[in-house]
Amino acid sequence: VPAPMLVEAARQAIAAGEPEAARERAEAIAASLLQPVINATGVLLHTNLGRAPLGVHQEARYSSLEIDLTTGKRGSRGTHFARMFSLACGAESAVVVNNGASAVLLALSALAGAAARREVVVSRGELVEIGGGFRIPEVLAASGAKLVEVGTTNRTRLSDYEKVIGPDVALVLKVHQSNYRLVGFSESVPVSELAGLGMPVVFDIGSGLLDANAPWLSSGPPAWLADEPAARQALAEGASIVTFSTDKLFGGPQAGVIAGRGDLVAACGRHPLYRALRPGRLVLSALQETLLAYLRRDGASIPFWSMAATPVSELSRRARELAVGEVVECESVAGGGSLPGLGIPSAGVALAGDLTAGLRRRKVPIVARVHEGRTLADLRTVDPADDAELAAGLCDVIGETLPGTGHIR
Ligand SMILES: *Cc1c(COP(=O)(O)O)cnc(C)c1O
């Protein structure tokens, strides 16, 4: 921790009349810095832990960000991403922005926004809040487009859309209800039918699953992916544009993608907001690494997919090798607002009491969860390279625990 931050901690401790607390304050500052952590929660895309696990290694060098190395002329940071996304999900073209929220905002602004203030038709069942302030009606308002709601909370039919289609309508927006499910007496219109309305259909699929067949996994798509919309299939079924995040099921850095019909994507790229929303080269390099892995069909080198696809037997074997706590079967979840209510069979170790505070205080902090009075370390979200560190951490916190109380000394 640099001196000015330590001095500030000391001054604040003195001002508070407790100079002996200076060390504790300095430690709190150190803990507030971004640092790698071991995720033993079993939540694969933990928004508080940066969603998808990611390793990028870059040297201090210039980059070919906007130069065409063949001609020596100025290039575009976007062209090769458009090509790679075409191959990866069948889109004619694509642009990359900062996150999923920017992708939706830019698509709506460019295709229906302020200049035109045209109508965007959305089912009342899809006027969702994704969390952290992303609410479809508010994003629509911010884009300058005019919201036209159709249907009801639980049921929307094609005829509801047909009634409002007219010359003022710019597009139909379909939003995946990422983080909740409507069950029972419910009905929504699939993208293949919306495509027949003769309007561009923008489908916010959310989590960035590129292809429902998961050709990058030798074991094929896991059962728990079942109902998650995928970019390739949504476009093939008639979506003009899909928008998605790249740090959810895509398994890359935080970015957002608008992919689909060439003319519509080009309109997004020309909009003044694009300049404000485009990512820098650190993010683009990490995104490129992930995309290249998809194109090589090498899911094993994408940490999220490698963790998601690990067989339970392998996790149980690792749990036994930790040689601490009781080996248990448990359930991981996708997280990141994807696949609510769906458990992914997993294994880990359980220890008596709540040991989570001590685990978080370690040099390499370990984030675990408490289930029915026991601390559970789910191995699905732990990189095997961290198993030894996890075992050491668990042993240490058991040692620190006052017998019988579950409290850290
Ligand atoms: C996650 C999500 C978003 C927001 O994406 P961010 O990358 O978090 O900005 C938007 N729409 C849907 C359907 C989502 O699932």
Side-chain angles (χ1 to χ4, degrees):
V1 178
M5 294 171 89
L6 293 175
V7 171
E8 189 184 35
R11 287 204 173 117
Q12 284 173 351
I14 292 165
E18 41 187 33
E20 67 287 351
R23 182 179 183 86
E24 206 176 301
R25 284 173 182 263
E27 279 170 357
I29 291 174
S32 72
L33 299 175
L34 290 181
Q35 52 198 298
V37 302
I38 296 176
N39 175 9
T41 63
V43 182
L44 280 157
L45 303 167
H46 200 307
T47 302
N48 304 152
L49 304 180
R51 290 196 181 150
L54 188 69
V56 221
H57 313 282
Q58 302 206 60
E59 290 172 55
R61 291 270 174 87
Y62 292 101
S63 123
S64 61
L65 184 65
E66 286 189 1
I67 188 170
D68 180 334
L69 291 173
T70 312
T71 62
K73 296 207 163 67
R74 182 180 174 153
S76 140
R77 66 176 70 193
T79 324
H80 78 289
F81 280 98
R83 276 201 303 274
M84 287 191 287
F85 274 109
S86 305
L87 293 169
C89 70
E92 275 173 32
S93 185
V95 289
V96 182
V97 288
N98 277 326
N99 49 29
S102 338
V104 178
L105 176 64
L106 178 57
L108 294 175
S109 302
L111 306 178
R117 194 171 160 68
R118 293 180 59 206
E119 294 174 350
V120 171
V121 184
V122 193
S123 158
R124 290 197 171 89
E126 297 173 8
L127 292 172
V128 297
E129 169 169 328
I130 300 296
F134 182 87
R135 307 174 110 189
I136 292 295
E138 290 169 13
V139 176
L140 255 160
S143 77
K146 197 169 153 220
L147 168 63
V148 177
E149 304 177 16
V150 295
T152 62
T153 303
N154 56 331
R155 304 195 87 183
T156 304
R157 304 189 223 340
L158 190 61
S159 56
D160 295 319
Y161 289 91
E162 282 165 348
K163 274 179 223 150
V164 301
I165 296 294
D168 294 335
V169 173
L171 57 92
V172 173
L173 174 66
K174 185 169 177 62
V175 184
H176 178 49
Q177 302 153 333
S178 291
N179 47 13
Y180 79 105
R181 289 286 178 268
L182 271 178
V183 293
F185 192 57
S186 65
E187 181 176 347
S188 63
V189 185
V191 72
S192 54
E193 288 178 31
L194 293 178
L197 291 166
M199 287 283 143
V201 177
V202 173
F203 188 1
D204 180 19
I205 62 169
S207 72
L209 177 64
L210 283 182
D211 187 330
N213 299 319
W216 55 89
L217 293 181
S218 52
S219 51
W224 46 266
L225 268 184
D227 295 328
E228 193 63 19
R232 179 179 289 282
Q233 283 71 23
L235 291 168
E237 284 161 18
S240 320
I241 289 285
V242 290
T243 55
F244 56 86
S245 304
T246 59
D247 55 355
K248 298 185 186 170
L249 294 180
F250 183 87
Q254 180 194 301
V257 174
I258 300 173
R261 231 171 79 186
D263 57 330
L264 302 180
V265 171
C268 296
R270 277 195 308 270
H271 192 275
L273 265 182
Y274 168 66
R275 174 61 192 245
L277 300 176
R278 69 181 191 186
R281 63 177 162 136
L282 284 176
V283 166
L284 291 177
S285 309
L287 186 65
Q288 172 179 292
E289 257 181 60
T290 316
L291 259 172
L292 291 173
Y294 275 111
L295 293 175
R296 291 187 194 107
R297 302 195 163 192
D298 179 13
S301 73
I302 301 171
F304 166 77
W305 283 110
S306 142
M307 288 177 176
T310 308
V312 182
S313 55
E314 170 65 13
L315 300 174
S316 304
R317 186 192 59 76
R318 284 170 49 200
R320 283 192 299 277
E321 280 181 5
L322 290 184
V324 53
E326 179 195 339
V327 176
V328 290
E329 290 183 354
C330 54
E331 272 200 344
S332 315
V333 294
S338 323
L339 304 157
L342 259 168
I344 305 170
S346 187
V349 294
L351 294 89
D354 180 351
L355 308 172
T356 52
L359 290 171
R360 283 197 310 272
R361 269 203 303 270
R362 293 179 57 79
K363 188 145 184 285
V364 183
I366 298 168
V367 184
R369 68 189 151 104
V370 178
H371 183 67
E372 292 174 352
R374 297 204 293 175
T375 302
L376 183 68
D378 183 333
L379 285 185
R380 179 164 301 286
T381 49
V382 176
D383 184 329
D386 288 331
D387 280 1
E389 179 61 30
L390 174 63
L394 293 172
C395 288
D396 289 351
V397 289
I398 304 175
E400 287 169 14
T401 307
L402 293 175
T405 66
H407 291 119
I408 304 293
R409 191 179 285 148

